[in-house]
């Protein structure tokens, strides 16, 4: 019988028993990389990824039933964000450098994780910690100046709470399709014809053409099946199930989602049929709360100026460190709000044309859509039924389908 793990022991990613005291030992990838670097030789492909995986596997804290792994992506926002903002508050030029480099670093990390096709808690941690830290600075540096009333603080707090509630609902089930078991998997004989091939993208047009898109199942698609009401459905070779139209397979979550819109890194989850409403509400509450907090802060540290003018011209912003820190946080919030505002705008336009982000991306890949409003929206023309009908369809997402009587069917 194998002995239980002590508080400092753990089973590493290779399945071997290890100890926290040996976390700096036996790192073959790091040793080899250092030898190549000292000898001016190039690193082998994937060396940095293997080193990062080893470091992430060994970042653990002692626990009763064995050392618990700590997600490394949670740490940088909590440590680096306050440091960078305090450094930016020291001088105007330092603030300019920090506030322009932060978005660049975030975008670089986004493309890095997107290329590696892996889930990360970095963006969710960055968003939540930014909210908490901005609220802390507002209470510590802005409210004590006496220009913000209790009712305004209460209104800002309510907006923050509503945004967090909407975010928690958006984190729930986006509409995952149930995974088929070995007993209820449909056989290939249940499909209409072997000669009719469908893609894994869930789009009628692409399915009819037989092209495989989105890298989901090139050469693995199977025949289309007809739903009970004549709606085309297709086969997902990875989940081994038949899924309805507009559903898609998320490579990061490894699941099929009803009416998949996209995988949002800011909530570390997919946006689908069940949580699209909550996702829009979270963005809307964030925009309103952030803009209100920016206006209150600018009105406090730049008296007598409009918020837009004070954002670009506030002579007394760096007169003391408290004002400088508040002004720096205002600009950080403004940058984040601008990015979230762009996401909200794209979402509202897509809803107005009844197209998802995934469908728009696939339409661009297949040259099957029209660019409208300067390329902000891609109209596939497949589900667009007019502005009011499209919004009515969106508002009805997640509701149970209407039961039809036998007379209506006949």
């Amino acid at each position: 019988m194998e002995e239980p793990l002590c508080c400092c022991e753990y089973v590493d990613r290779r399945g071997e028993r290890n100890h926290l005291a040996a976390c700096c030992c036996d790192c073959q990838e790091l040793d080899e990389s250092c030898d190549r670097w000292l000898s001016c030789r190039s690193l082998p492909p994937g060396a940095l990824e293997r080193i990062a995986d080893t470091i992430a596997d060994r970042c653990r804290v002692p626990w009763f039933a064995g050392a618990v792994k700590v997600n490394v992506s949670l740490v940088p926002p909590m440590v680096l964000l306050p440091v960078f903002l305090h450094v930016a508050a020291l001088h105007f030029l330092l603030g300019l450098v920090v506030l322009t480099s932060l978005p660049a670093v975030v975008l670089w990390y986004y493309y890095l994780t997107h290329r590696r096709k892996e889930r990360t808690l970095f963006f969710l941690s960055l968003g939540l910690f930014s909210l908490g830290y901005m609220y802390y600075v507002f209470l510590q540096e802005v409210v004590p100046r006496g220009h913000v009333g209790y009712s305004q603080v209460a209104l800002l707090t309510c907006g923050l709470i509503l945004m967090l509630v909407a975010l928690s609902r958006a984190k729930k089930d986006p509409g995952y399709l149930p995974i088929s078991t070995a007993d209820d998997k449909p056989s290939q004989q249940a499909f209409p014809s072997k000669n009719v091939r469908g893609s894994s993208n869930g789009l009628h047009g692409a399915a009819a053409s037989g092209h495989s898109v989105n890298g989901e199942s090139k050469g693995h698609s199977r025949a289309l099946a007809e739903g009970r009401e004549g709606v085309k459905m297709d086969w997902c070779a990875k989940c081994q199930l038949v899924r309805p139209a507009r559903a898609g397979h998320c490579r990061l979550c490894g699941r099929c989602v009803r009416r998949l819109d996209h995988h949002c890194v800011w909530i570390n989850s997919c946006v689908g049929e069940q949580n699209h409403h909550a996702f829009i509400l979270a963005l809307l509450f964030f925009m309103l709360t952030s803009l209100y907090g920016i206006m209150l802060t600018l009105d406090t540290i730049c008296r007598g100026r409009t918020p837009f003018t004070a954002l670009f011209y506030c002579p007394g912003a760096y007169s003391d460190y408290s004002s400088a820190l508040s002004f720096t946080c205002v600009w950080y919030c403004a940058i984040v709000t601008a990015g979230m505002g762009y996401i909200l705008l794209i979402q509202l336009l897509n809803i107005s044309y009844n197209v998802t982000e995934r469908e728009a991306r696939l339409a661009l890949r297949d040259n099957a859509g029209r660019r409208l409003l300067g390329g902000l929206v891609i109209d596939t023309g497949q589900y667009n039924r007019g502005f009011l009908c499209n919004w009515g369809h969106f508002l009805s997402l997640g509701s149970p389908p209407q039961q039809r009587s036998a007379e209506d069917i006949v």
Side-chain angles (χ1 to χ4, degrees):
M1 183 176 179
E2 187 177 357
E3 296 182 1
L5 298 174
C6 74
C7 62
C8 295
E9 290 182 320
Y10 63 95
V11 178
D12 59 18
R13 59 193 181 97
R14 294 176 295 184
E16 300 177 359
R17 192 164 178 158
N18 215 325
H19 198 278
L20 289 179
C23 63
C24 297
C25 304
D26 191 21
C27 187
Q28 183 178 357
E29 293 86 358
L30 182 60
D31 295 339
E32 182 180 355
S33 299
C34 290
D35 292 339
R36 285 179 171 271
W37 180 71
L38 292 175
S39 59
C40 299
R41 291 181 296 168
S42 61
L43 296 178
L48 295 179
E49 286 79 2
R50 290 192 296 271
I51 294 175
D53 292 339
T54 302
I55 295 175
D57 184 55
R58 297 186 181 186
C59 287
R60 298 173 181 265
V61 293
W63 199 247
F64 298 104
V68 179
K69 185 177 179 180
V70 178
N71 198 314
V72 183
S73 60
L74 295 173
V75 180
M78 300 179 183
V79 177
L80 297 180
L81 182 62
V83 173
F84 283 159
L85 291 179
H86 279 275
V87 170
L90 295 175
H91 195 271
F92 169 74
L93 293 179
L94 286 175
L96 184 64
V97 172
V98 170
L99 292 176
T100 53
S101 60
L102 272 179
V105 172
V106 172
L107 286 176
W108 169 81
Y109 189 73
Y110 167 76
Y111 285 114
L112 178 64
T113 55
H114 182 72
R115 188 173 67 249
R116 296 183 62 182
K117 298 179 178 61
E118 62 180 14
R119 299 182 69 177
T120 175
L121 292 175
F122 173 83
F123 299 98
L124 179 61
S125 173
L126 177 62
L128 292 177
F129 187 73
S130 297
L131 286 173
Y133 191 71
M134 294 302 105
Y135 187 69
Y136 170 78
V137 171
F138 179 79
L139 295 179
Q140 292 293 321
E141 307 294 342
V142 179
V143 174
R145 293 174 179 262
H147 299 292
V148 179
Y150 291 108
S151 60
Q152 294 172 317
V153 176
L155 185 60
L156 184 70
T157 305
C158 288
L160 182 61
I161 293 174
L162 288 175
M163 194 277 298
L164 292 176
V165 170
L167 180 63
S168 65
R169 292 180 63 89
K171 283 283 295 174
K172 294 183 178 180
D173 181 14
Y176 291 124
L177 291 173
I179 299 178
S180 301
T181 59
D183 297 332
D184 55 19
K185 286 181 182 178
S187 62
Q188 192 172 357
Q189 297 175 354
F191 293 93
S193 173
K194 294 183 180 180
N195 296 326
V196 181
R197 296 184 61 83
S199 69
S200 301
N201 56 12
L203 300 180
H204 296 170
S209 64
H211 295 297
S212 178
V213 293
N214 205 27
E216 293 181 3
S217 57
K218 294 182 180 179
H220 297 285
S221 301
R222 298 193 182 182
L224 291 172
E226 289 288 337
R228 279 187 257 183
E229 299 182 6
V231 178
K232 289 183 179 179
M233 311 171 78
D234 66 338
W235 174 262
C236 177
K238 295 187 177 180
C239 293
Q240 295 292 296
L241 54 80
V242 178
R243 60 193 181 194
R246 309 192 77 176
H249 184 88
C250 177
R251 296 174 297 177
L252 299 179
C253 297
R255 296 284 298 276
C256 285
V257 182
R258 295 182 182 273
R259 196 184 178 276
L260 175 62
D261 189 84
H262 69 288
H263 182 95
C264 181
V265 296
W266 295 105
I267 65 174
N268 194 33
S269 177
C270 288
V271 177
E273 182 179 281
Q274 298 294 329
N275 66 342
H276 207 162
H277 291 164
F279 180 72
I280 296 296
L281 285 177
L283 287 175
L284 185 60
F285 284 133
F286 172 81
M287 291 290 298
L288 295 176
T289 305
S290 180
L291 290 175
Y292 187 60
I294 289 174
M295 292 174 58
L296 291 178
T297 304
L298 289 177
D299 184 63
T300 300
I301 62 178
C302 301
R303 303 292 296 173
R305 299 181 185 275
T306 61
F308 184 78
T309 304
L311 187 62
F312 295 95
Y313 182 70
C314 185
Y318 284 85
S319 59
D320 59 276
Y321 187 77
S322 177
S323 299
L325 179 61
S326 302
F327 189 71
T328 302
C329 291
V330 162
W331 260 104
Y332 176 74
C333 288
I335 294 173
V336 175
T337 304
M340 294 300 168
Y342 175 78
I343 296 176
L344 179 61
L345 175 63
I346 297 299
Q347 286 290 313
L348 296 179
L349 290 175
N350 286 343
I351 294 171
S352 301
Y353 285 89
N354 198 4
V355 63
T356 64
E357 280 288 315
R358 179 173 172 274
E359 291 168 352
R361 185 175 66 251
L362 296 174
L364 284 178
R365 182 178 300 177
D366 296 338
N367 295 322
R370 296 183 302 145
R371 291 178 177 268
L372 300 176
L373 302 178
L376 290 177
V377 63
I378 307 299
D379 182 19
T380 62
Q382 190 170 4
Y383 302 101
N384 189 0
R385 299 296 181 266
F387 180 82
L388 294 179
C389 291
N390 293 339
W391 272 95
H393 171 74
F394 173 76
L395 294 176
S396 65
L397 289 179
S399 59
Q402 297 181 354
Q403 298 293 333
R404 300 194 302 176
S405 62
E407 291 82 1
D408 295 335
I409 299 176
V410 174

